[in-house]
Amino acid sequence: MNELMYLQIETTNYCNGKCIFCPHEKILEKGSMSDDLYTKIIEEASQLPNLKTFHPMLNGEPFLDKNFMNRLKFAREKLPQVEIEVYTNGSLLTESIIYELKEIPNFHLSVSLNGLKPETRKKLMGLDDYWHVVQMFKLMENEGVKYRATMVAYPEVSQDEVRAFIESGGIAIRYQSWAGTQYPYDRRRWTSCPRAINQMTVLYTGEVCLCCFDPLGEVTFGNLSLNTIEEIWNSDLHREYRSMHKQGRGHELPKCKACTEG
Protein backbone atom coordinates (compact mmCIF):
# COMPACT_ATOMS: atom_id res chain seq x y z
CA MET A 1 0.00 0.00 0.00
CA ASN A 2 3.02 2.29 0.17
CA GLU A 3 2.62 3.26 -3.49
CA LEU A 4 -0.94 4.56 -3.09
CA MET A 5 -0.40 8.32 -2.84
CA TYR A 6 -3.43 9.87 -4.55
CA LEU A 7 -7.09 9.12 -3.91
CA GLN A 8 -9.90 10.50 -6.04
CA ILE A 9 -13.56 10.03 -5.08
CA GLU A 10 -16.54 11.03 -7.19
CA THR A 11 -19.08 12.27 -4.64
CA THR A 12 -21.48 13.15 -7.48
CA ASN A 13 -21.42 13.00 -11.27
CA TYR A 14 -24.15 15.57 -11.83
CA CYS A 15 -22.91 18.66 -13.65
CA ASN A 16 -24.40 21.99 -14.71
CA GLY A 17 -21.85 22.54 -17.46
CA LYS A 18 -21.94 21.39 -21.06
CA CYS A 19 -18.21 21.40 -21.78
CA ILE A 20 -17.41 20.42 -25.34
CA PHE A 21 -14.02 19.06 -24.29
CA CYS A 22 -15.51 16.72 -21.66
CA PRO A 23 -17.18 13.31 -22.16
CA HIS A 24 -19.75 13.95 -19.40
CA GLU A 25 -22.72 13.75 -21.79
CA LYS A 26 -21.77 10.13 -22.51
CA ILE A 27 -22.28 9.14 -18.88
CA LEU A 28 -25.75 7.60 -18.85
CA GLU A 29 -26.23 6.90 -15.14
CA LYS A 30 -26.16 9.87 -12.77
CA GLY A 31 -26.07 9.85 -8.99
CA SER A 32 -24.26 10.78 -5.79
CA MET A 33 -22.26 8.66 -3.37
CA SER A 34 -24.01 7.57 -0.20
CA ASP A 35 -22.80 9.00 3.09
CA ASP A 36 -22.10 5.51 4.43
CA LEU A 37 -19.86 4.60 1.51
CA TYR A 38 -18.02 7.93 1.60
CA THR A 39 -17.41 7.54 5.34
CA LYS A 40 -16.14 3.98 4.86
CA ILE A 41 -13.66 5.04 2.18
CA ILE A 42 -12.32 7.99 4.15
CA GLU A 43 -11.94 5.86 7.28
CA GLU A 44 -9.91 3.33 5.29
CA ALA A 45 -7.92 6.08 3.60
CA SER A 46 -6.89 7.42 7.01
CA GLN A 47 -4.85 4.22 7.45
CA LEU A 48 -2.89 4.60 4.22
CA PRO A 49 0.77 5.23 5.10
CA ASN A 50 1.78 7.48 2.21
CA LEU A 51 -1.39 9.19 1.02
CA LYS A 52 -0.43 12.70 -0.14
CA THR A 53 -3.40 14.14 -2.01
CA PHE A 54 -7.17 13.68 -1.89
CA HIS A 55 -9.44 14.80 -4.75
CA PRO A 56 -13.13 14.64 -3.72
CA MET A 57 -14.52 14.96 -7.23
CA LEU A 58 -14.29 13.38 -10.65
CA ASN A 59 -16.83 13.64 -13.46
CA GLY A 60 -19.35 16.03 -11.92
CA GLU A 61 -19.48 19.52 -10.45
CA PRO A 62 -18.67 18.89 -6.76
CA PHE A 63 -20.69 21.81 -5.40
CA LEU A 64 -23.86 20.21 -6.77
CA ASP A 65 -23.40 17.71 -3.94
CA LYS A 66 -25.56 19.26 -1.22
CA ASN A 67 -23.42 17.60 1.45
CA PHE A 68 -20.10 18.52 -0.14
CA MET A 69 -18.85 20.98 2.48
CA ASN A 70 -19.56 18.52 5.30
CA ARG A 71 -17.72 15.84 3.34
CA LEU A 72 -14.75 18.15 2.87
CA LYS A 73 -14.62 18.87 6.59
CA PHE A 74 -14.88 15.18 7.45
CA ALA A 75 -11.99 14.38 5.10
CA ARG A 76 -9.93 17.18 6.65
CA GLU A 77 -10.59 15.75 10.12
CA LYS A 78 -9.67 12.17 9.18
CA LEU A 79 -6.80 13.05 6.82
CA PRO A 80 -5.12 15.92 8.66
CA GLN A 81 -1.79 15.76 6.81
CA VAL A 82 -3.18 15.13 3.33
CA GLU A 83 -3.52 17.91 0.75
CA ILE A 84 -7.09 18.32 -0.49
CA GLU A 85 -7.58 19.63 -4.00
CA VAL A 86 -10.97 20.25 -5.60
CA TYR A 87 -11.68 20.91 -9.27
CA THR A 88 -14.78 22.99 -10.05
CA ASN A 89 -16.25 25.09 -12.84
CA GLY A 90 -16.74 27.85 -10.24
CA SER A 91 -20.34 28.64 -11.17
CA LEU A 92 -21.75 27.63 -7.78
CA LEU A 93 -19.15 29.36 -5.64
CA THR A 94 -20.60 31.88 -3.19
CA GLU A 95 -19.23 34.17 -0.51
CA SER A 96 -20.38 31.82 2.23
CA ILE A 97 -18.71 28.81 0.58
CA ILE A 98 -15.45 30.71 0.20
CA TYR A 99 -15.53 31.76 3.85
CA GLU A 100 -15.95 28.08 4.78
CA LEU A 101 -13.15 26.99 2.46
CA LYS A 102 -10.89 29.55 4.09
CA GLU A 103 -11.14 27.58 7.34
CA ILE A 104 -9.96 24.30 5.77
CA PRO A 105 -6.16 24.02 6.03
CA ASN A 106 -3.99 22.60 3.26
CA PHE A 107 -6.77 23.06 0.72
CA HIS A 108 -6.49 24.11 -2.94
CA LEU A 109 -9.17 24.93 -5.48
CA SER A 110 -8.70 24.50 -9.22
CA VAL A 111 -11.29 26.51 -11.16
CA SER A 112 -12.00 25.80 -14.81
CA LEU A 113 -12.57 29.30 -16.21
CA ASN A 114 -11.70 28.42 -19.81
CA GLY A 115 -10.94 31.74 -21.36
CA LEU A 116 -10.33 35.41 -20.89
CA LYS A 117 -13.70 36.38 -22.33
CA PRO A 118 -17.29 35.54 -21.38
CA GLU A 119 -17.88 34.37 -24.96
CA THR A 120 -15.10 31.78 -24.79
CA ARG A 121 -16.34 30.34 -21.50
CA LYS A 122 -19.88 30.12 -22.82
CA LYS A 123 -18.74 28.51 -26.07
CA LEU A 124 -16.60 25.88 -24.33
CA MET A 125 -18.71 25.24 -21.24
CA GLY A 126 -22.24 26.43 -21.97
CA LEU A 127 -22.05 28.66 -18.88
CA ASP A 128 -22.95 32.34 -18.97
CA ASP A 129 -21.40 33.34 -15.65
CA TYR A 130 -17.87 34.53 -16.46
CA TRP A 131 -17.99 37.69 -14.35
CA HIS A 132 -19.42 35.85 -11.35
CA VAL A 133 -16.43 33.49 -11.37
CA VAL A 134 -14.00 36.40 -11.75
CA GLN A 135 -15.64 38.04 -8.75
CA MET A 136 -15.15 34.84 -6.76
CA PHE A 137 -11.46 34.88 -7.75
CA LYS A 138 -11.10 38.35 -6.26
CA LEU A 139 -12.79 37.25 -3.04
CA MET A 140 -10.55 34.19 -2.74
CA GLU A 141 -7.49 36.38 -3.23
CA ASN A 142 -8.68 38.71 -0.48
CA GLU A 143 -9.46 35.82 1.87
CA GLY A 144 -6.30 33.84 1.21
CA VAL A 145 -7.97 30.79 -0.34
CA LYS A 146 -5.45 29.06 -2.59
CA TYR A 147 -6.74 28.60 -6.11
CA ARG A 148 -5.65 28.40 -9.71
CA ALA A 149 -7.54 29.29 -12.89
CA THR A 150 -7.36 26.81 -15.76
CA MET A 151 -8.47 26.48 -19.34
CA VAL A 152 -8.42 23.68 -21.86
CA ALA A 153 -6.47 24.51 -25.00
CA TYR A 154 -9.34 23.37 -27.19
CA PRO A 155 -8.47 23.51 -30.93
CA GLU A 156 -11.17 26.10 -31.66
CA VAL A 157 -9.75 28.59 -29.13
CA SER A 158 -7.22 31.01 -30.60
CA GLN A 159 -3.61 30.56 -29.60
CA ASP A 160 -3.49 34.26 -28.79
CA GLU A 161 -6.14 33.83 -26.11
CA VAL A 162 -4.41 30.74 -24.71
CA ARG A 163 -1.10 32.63 -24.49
CA ALA A 164 -2.79 35.63 -22.89
CA PHE A 165 -4.48 33.35 -20.37
CA ILE A 166 -1.11 31.90 -19.36
CA GLU A 167 0.48 35.34 -19.20
CA SER A 168 -2.31 36.48 -16.87
CA GLY A 169 -1.36 33.72 -14.42
CA GLY A 170 -3.68 30.95 -15.60
CA ILE A 171 -2.78 27.39 -16.55
CA ALA A 172 -3.56 25.93 -19.99
CA ILE A 173 -4.33 22.21 -20.10
CA ARG A 174 -3.98 20.00 -23.14
CA TYR A 175 -7.21 18.83 -24.80
CA GLN A 176 -7.20 15.16 -23.85
CA SER A 177 -8.55 12.11 -25.64
CA TRP A 178 -9.92 10.80 -22.32
CA ALA A 179 -8.45 7.39 -23.19
CA GLY A 180 -10.26 7.35 -26.51
CA THR A 181 -13.62 8.53 -25.18
CA GLN A 182 -13.38 11.97 -26.81
CA TYR A 183 -11.41 11.18 -29.95
CA PRO A 184 -9.33 8.28 -31.31
CA TYR A 185 -5.69 8.16 -30.34
CA ASP A 186 -3.07 5.48 -30.89
CA ARG A 187 -0.08 5.78 -28.59
CA ARG A 188 3.07 4.63 -30.31
CA ARG A 189 5.59 5.17 -27.53
CA TRP A 190 6.15 3.66 -24.12
CA THR A 191 4.26 4.98 -21.12
CA SER A 192 4.65 4.74 -17.37
CA CYS A 193 1.67 6.65 -16.01
CA PRO A 194 1.66 7.73 -12.34
CA ARG A 195 -2.15 7.53 -12.35
CA ALA A 196 -1.89 3.78 -12.87
CA ILE A 197 0.95 3.34 -10.40
CA ASN A 198 0.08 5.68 -7.53
CA GLN A 199 -3.59 6.64 -7.76
CA MET A 200 -6.98 5.12 -6.96
CA THR A 201 -10.09 6.57 -8.60
CA VAL A 202 -13.55 5.78 -7.27
CA LEU A 203 -16.88 6.37 -9.03
CA TYR A 204 -19.95 7.42 -7.00
CA THR A 205 -21.16 3.79 -7.09
CA GLY A 206 -18.03 2.63 -5.29
CA GLU A 207 -16.54 1.09 -8.44
CA VAL A 208 -12.78 1.63 -8.68
CA CYS A 209 -12.04 2.54 -12.28
CA LEU A 210 -8.79 2.81 -14.21
CA CYS A 211 -8.22 6.52 -13.56
CA CYS A 212 -9.73 9.98 -13.98
CA PHE A 213 -9.56 9.54 -17.78
CA ASP A 214 -11.89 6.54 -17.63
CA PRO A 215 -15.16 8.41 -16.95
CA LEU A 216 -17.38 5.58 -18.14
CA GLY A 217 -15.67 3.02 -15.92
CA GLU A 218 -14.68 0.79 -18.81
CA VAL A 219 -11.89 -0.76 -16.73
CA THR A 220 -12.79 -1.57 -13.12
CA PHE A 221 -10.97 -3.41 -10.37
CA GLY A 222 -13.69 -3.91 -7.75
CA ASN A 223 -16.25 -2.05 -5.66
CA LEU A 224 -15.46 -0.38 -2.34
CA SER A 225 -18.95 -1.07 -1.07
CA LEU A 226 -17.97 -4.75 -1.15
CA ASN A 227 -14.18 -4.69 -0.82
CA THR A 228 -11.55 -2.72 1.05
CA ILE A 229 -9.05 -0.35 -0.52
CA GLU A 230 -6.29 -2.84 0.25
CA GLU A 231 -8.13 -5.77 -1.34
CA ILE A 232 -8.72 -3.88 -4.58
CA TRP A 233 -5.22 -2.40 -4.67
CA ASN A 234 -3.70 -5.86 -4.29
CA SER A 235 -6.08 -7.61 -6.70
CA ASP A 236 -4.51 -9.48 -9.60
CA LEU A 237 -5.84 -7.09 -12.25
CA HIS A 238 -4.70 -3.95 -10.41
CA ARG A 239 -1.27 -5.48 -9.86
CA GLU A 240 -1.07 -6.26 -13.58
CA TYR A 241 -1.85 -2.67 -14.61
CA ARG A 242 0.68 -1.26 -12.14
CA SER A 243 3.32 -3.72 -13.25
CA MET A 244 2.83 -2.95 -16.94
CA HIS A 245 3.20 0.78 -16.34
CA LYS A 246 6.23 0.33 -14.12
CA GLN A 247 7.86 -1.51 -17.01
CA GLY A 248 6.97 1.33 -19.39
CA ARG A 249 4.53 -0.96 -21.17
CA GLY A 250 1.31 0.84 -20.31
CA HIS A 251 0.71 1.52 -23.99
CA GLU A 252 0.14 -2.21 -24.46
CA LEU A 253 -3.04 -2.00 -22.37
CA PRO A 254 -6.06 -1.28 -24.62
CA LYS A 255 -7.52 1.68 -22.69
CA CYS A 256 -4.13 3.23 -21.91
CA LYS A 257 -3.08 2.88 -25.56
CA ALA A 258 -5.82 5.36 -26.50
CA CYS A 259 -4.80 7.93 -23.85
CA THR A 260 -2.95 11.17 -24.54
CA GLU A 261 -1.85 11.45 -20.89
CA GLY A 262 0.79 9.49 -19.01
Side-chain angles (χ1 to χ4, degrees):
M1 301 301 293
N2 291 336
E3 292 178 317
L4 180 45
M5 299 178 184
Y6 306 94
L7 176 64
Q8 187 162 19
I9 298 178
E10 178 182 74
T11 70
T12 186
N13 66 358
Y14 288 107
C15 191
N16 59 333
K18 300 292 182 184
C19 301
I20 60 178
F21 50 78
C22 175
H24 185 268
E25 64 176 14
K26 297 174 184 175
I27 300 173
L28 300 180
E29 295 186 11
K30 305 293 196 303
S32 299
M33 183 173 284
S34 71
D35 289 336
D36 288 345
L37 179 55
Y38 181 83
T39 299
K40 172 187 181 293
I41 297 172
I42 297 300
E43 293 281 6
E44 290 184 21
S46 69
Q47 303 304 308
L48 296 173
N50 292 322
L51 188 65
K52 293 182 177 179
T53 306
F54 173 53
H55 301 285
M57 56 72 56
L58 183 57
N59 296 307
E61 166 50 48
F63 290 100
L64 280 173
D65 177 356
K66 296 185 191 260
N67 200 27
F68 187 65
M69 292 306 302
N70 288 332
R71 289 179 168 180
L72 268 185
K73 293 171 185 176
F74 180 71
R76 180 72 296 153
E77 175 189 346
K78 294 295 182 178
L79 309 171
Q81 305 303 319
V82 175
E83 177 185 61
I84 298 177
E85 185 169 9
V86 172
Y87 294 78
T88 174
N89 61 38
S91 63
L92 300 176
L93 291 175
T94 63
E95 290 186 11
S96 60
I97 286 175
I98 288 173
Y99 292 142
E100 285 190 80
L101 295 177
K102 178 184 177 180
E103 301 303 317
I104 300 177
N106 201 11
F107 172 83
H108 301 262
L109 197 64
S110 184
V111 184
S112 185
L113 182 63
N114 281 297
L116 285 177
K117 302 179 291 187
E119 310 89 79
T120 309
R121 178 174 169 87
K122 187 172 183 179
K123 178 180 179 180
L124 293 186
M125 306 179 73
L127 296 172
D128 195 13
D129 55 4
Y130 179 88
W131 295 114
H132 166 74
V133 179
V134 170
Q135 184 180 15
M136 293 300 100
F137 285 163
K138 292 177 181 177
L139 180 59
M140 286 190 285
E141 288 174 7
N142 291 337
E143 296 299 322
V145 175
K146 293 182 180 179
Y147 79 93
R148 64 176 186 171
T150 68
M151 74 174 295
V152 174
Y154 193 71
E156 294 181 15
V157 179
S158 74
Q159 289 301 305
D160 287 342
E161 185 168 359
V162 173
R163 280 192 293 269
F165 189 86
I166 295 171
E167 289 169 1
S168 70
I171 297 174
I173 300 170
R174 178 181 181 181
Y175 174 42
Q176 300 285 358
S177 70
W178 291 79
T181 305
Q182 279 299 89
Y183 58 83
Y185 182 76
D186 187 12
R187 179 180 290 276
R188 298 184 180 278
R189 64 174 177 83
W190 68 273
T191 180
S192 180
C193 183
R195 287 175 175 81
I197 298 171
N198 304 116
Q199 182 168 322
M200 178 174 281
T201 303
V202 189
L203 301 175
Y204 81 92
T205 58
E207 287 285 342
V208 175
C209 64
L210 176 59
C211 70
C212 54
F213 288 115
D214 181 22
L216 306 183
E218 295 182 60
V219 177
T220 57
F221 303 102
N223 193 307
L224 285 174
S225 64
L226 304 172
N227 307 107
T228 65
I229 289 176
E230 184 173 4
E231 286 170 343
I232 292 176
W233 188 257
N234 290 323
S235 66
D236 290 343
L237 185 58
H238 206 288
R239 284 178 180 273
E240 178 187 356
Y241 269 74
R242 296 204 309 278
S243 175
M244 290 287 282
H245 276 275
K246 287 178 184 177
Q247 297 173 49
R249 298 170 57 203
H251 61 290
E252 297 177 26
L253 299 163
K255 194 68 179 168
C256 300
K257 183 178 180 63
C259 189
T260 45
E261 187 67 11

